[in-house]
């Protein structure tokens, strides 16, 4: 196995829901999964998740951790806001040859490969990306405090805020609002939850919203309609035109398709692959650069 590692790469896709780490020799892929990671909000926790994944991968592949750490690795992870924080994260890891970026390039590469198109990635957080005429462009991904529209946390937080408006009799009572008041045992507990809630905690409210929207609940439908409007507006600004393929990636993103303008609905295609697939492809590109530099 150690000899085979000479031509292998590691790839990591990490975000607010989970981290996935893979070993690829160009043919087969061995992958493991750990918990959520965001290097802006919890650098030490993100490092721990990567190290945990490396230990798991060693067990699953039969290769020593030290040998795996010698493989070139491409890491696309949430919370990378610039080269300085990416560098600090790389230095805290045991890898010899590592490239760290945010998680947007991996999602784009996985969804579209080399083809033209756009993606709206809505998981715990959100971002948007366009690949047109060989040029890539990204927007969003700035986190829950200053951005992440149409993300799962955005949907969950909006649902709770609207529920409190129902308590104040500022909007019509909804079944979703009543459900959330029961789930959290009252408005005071909703407020207490929000004080310490992380984005992933708000995101766990989102499935309630999509479930009630499927039953036609007015509040749930309003929230998903507003989210779809955020997506459509941003995609137009990113250069989307009728005929350009559009991928809705991330856990909650497909739920918004029915609320998009008809032309965008028709443009939606299934992603070619996952963000982990994109990370693997970018890891192989990185490995080729490393080999060229060595020679």
């Amino acid at each position: 196995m150690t000899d085979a590692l000479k031509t292998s790469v590691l790839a990591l896709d990490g975000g607010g829901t989970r981290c996935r780490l893979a070993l690829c020799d160009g043919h087969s892929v061995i992958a493991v999964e750990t918990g959520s990671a965001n290097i802006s909000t919890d650098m030490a926790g993100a490092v721990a998740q990567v190290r945990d994944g490396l230990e798991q991968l060693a067990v699953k592949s039969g290769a020593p951790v030290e040998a795996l750490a010698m493989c070139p690795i491409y890491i696309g992870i949430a919370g990378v806001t610039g080269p300085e924080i990416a560098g600090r994260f790389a230095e805290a890891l045991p890898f010899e040859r590592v490239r760290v970026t945010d998680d947007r390039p991996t999602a784009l590469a996985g969804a579209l490969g080399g083809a033209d198109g756009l993606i709206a990635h809505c998981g715990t957080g959100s971002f948007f990306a366009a690949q047109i005429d060989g040029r890539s462009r990204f927007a969003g991904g700035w986190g829950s405090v200053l951005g992440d529209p149409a993300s799962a946390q955005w949907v969950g937080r909006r649902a709770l805020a609207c529920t409190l408006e129902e308590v104040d009799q500022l909007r019509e009572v909804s079944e979703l609002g009543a459900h959330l008041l029961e789930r959290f045992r009252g408005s005071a507990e909703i407020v207490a939850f929000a004080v310490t809630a992380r984005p992933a905690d708000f995101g766990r409210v989102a499935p309630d919203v999509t479930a009630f929207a499927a039953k036609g609940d007015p509040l749930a439908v309003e929230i998903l309609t507003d989210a779809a409007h955020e997506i459509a507006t941003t995609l137009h600004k990113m250069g989307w035109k009728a005929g350009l393929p559009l991928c809705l990636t991330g856990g909650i993103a497909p739920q918004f398709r029915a609320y998009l303008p008809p032309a965008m609905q028709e443009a939606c295609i299934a992603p070619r692959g996952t963000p982990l697939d994109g990370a693997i492809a970018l890891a192989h590109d990185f490995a080729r650069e490393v080999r060229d530099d060595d020679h």
Side-chain angles (χ1 to χ4, degrees):
M1 183 67 190
T2 304
D3 290 339
L5 292 179
K6 292 179 180 178
T7 57
S8 296
V9 299
L10 294 174
L12 185 138
D13 167 55
T17 302
R18 61 184 175 179
C19 288
R20 290 175 294 177
L21 178 65
L23 172 68
C24 179
D25 61 5
H27 305 287
S28 61
V29 175
I30 302 172
V32 298
E33 185 173 310
T34 65
S36 63
N38 183 305
I39 69 172
S40 285
T41 58
D42 187 1
M43 172 76 77
V47 170
Q49 294 296 340
V50 176
R51 290 183 176 274
D52 179 36
L54 191 61
E55 295 281 353
Q56 288 188 44
L57 197 58
V59 172
K60 194 169 182 179
S61 67
V65 167
E66 295 77 13
L68 289 174
M70 294 299 293
C71 296
I73 180 171
Y74 187 102
I75 296 176
I77 193 164
V80 176
T81 55
E84 190 274 334
I85 192 170
R88 285 196 288 118
F89 184 60
E91 289 173 2
L93 299 173
F95 305 109
E96 291 289 324
R97 294 164 292 180
V98 55
R99 175 167 292 168
V100 177
T101 69
D102 62 70
D103 51 351
R104 300 178 301 179
T106 54
L108 182 62
L112 296 176
D116 281 0
L118 293 89
I119 68 169
H121 183 87
C122 303
T124 302
S126 71
F127 61 81
F128 304 86
Q131 189 165 265
I132 302 173
D133 296 330
R135 296 183 178 180
S136 299
R137 178 185 175 189
F138 301 95
W142 299 115
S144 61
V145 175
L146 299 177
D148 285 353
S151 64
Q153 71 84 20
W154 184 95
V155 167
R157 186 183 61 193
R158 181 68 182 143
L160 293 175
C162 289
T163 296
L164 295 179
E165 290 180 5
E166 291 183 10
V167 171
D168 288 337
Q169 300 181 10
L170 298 176
R171 60 166 60 235
E172 293 293 326
V173 173
S174 66
E175 290 186 19
L176 173 60
H179 167 77
L180 292 176
L181 284 169
E182 181 179 354
R183 171 178 168 176
F184 286 90
R185 300 181 181 179
S187 57
E189 291 302 316
I190 289 177
V191 174
F193 162 80
V195 169
T196 59
R198 297 166 61 91
D201 299 324
F202 282 115
R204 282 189 277 274
V205 179
D208 289 347
V209 182
T210 57
F212 275 85
K215 297 188 292 184
D217 179 81
L219 174 57
V221 169
E222 175 188 326
I223 292 170
L224 297 194
T225 300
D226 289 348
H229 177 73
E230 294 279 352
I231 292 171
T233 299
T234 303
L235 289 175
H236 277 297
K237 292 178 180 179
M238 295 283 289
W240 184 84
K241 298 177 181 178
L244 272 176
L246 170 61
C247 285
L248 301 177
T249 64
I252 197 173
Q255 300 286 341
F256 302 131
R257 179 174 180 174
Y259 301 91
L260 291 172
M264 280 191 174
Q265 292 184 38
E266 294 172 4
C268 287
I269 62 170
R272 295 187 176 191
T274 66
L276 183 60
D277 295 324
I280 290 170
L282 293 172
H284 283 294
D285 291 343
F286 175 52
R288 283 189 286 271
E289 290 180 31
V290 169
R291 287 195 294 270
D292 290 343
D293 289 342
D294 289 343
H295 290 97

